[in-house]
Amino acid sequence: MPFLKVKQKSVAKFASSFAPKTSLGLTFRDLVTHLMRVPFVANLAVGSALRDDIVLPDYGLPKR
């Protein structure tokens, strides 16, 4: 299956977590979103479904 189709399928599984129907769901989503800064929490919440370890080429742009 092509790369993008696999990614779209993975994202579809998470759609309901982005738009919860209850206030408790909204609070939980917001909490998890803030905690996603911690790598362990991000891996636990989304795993490898949305993350790719790809190396991009060096485009020769100056670093800031």
Side-chain angles (χ1 to χ4, degrees):
M1 188 180 287
F3 178 79
L4 290 179
K5 286 196 184 273
V6 171
K7 291 300 160 190
Q8 288 173 339
K9 201 172 188 181
S10 296
V11 169
K13 294 177 184 177
F14 291 103
S16 63
S17 65
F18 293 118
K21 295 180 180 180
T22 66
S23 60
L24 179 62
L26 287 169
T27 302
F28 184 72
R29 180 207 55 197
D30 292 346
L31 175 65
V32 171
T33 301
H34 287 292
L35 290 174
M36 290 282 235
R37 294 178 182 173
V38 180
F40 169 75
V41 176
N43 286 334
L44 186 63
V46 232
S48 62
L50 300 178
R51 188 189 77 216
D52 292 304
D53 295 323
I54 54 176
V55 178
L56 297 175
D58 181 8
Y59 293 106
L61 298 175
K63 297 186 183 207
R64 293 182 189 198

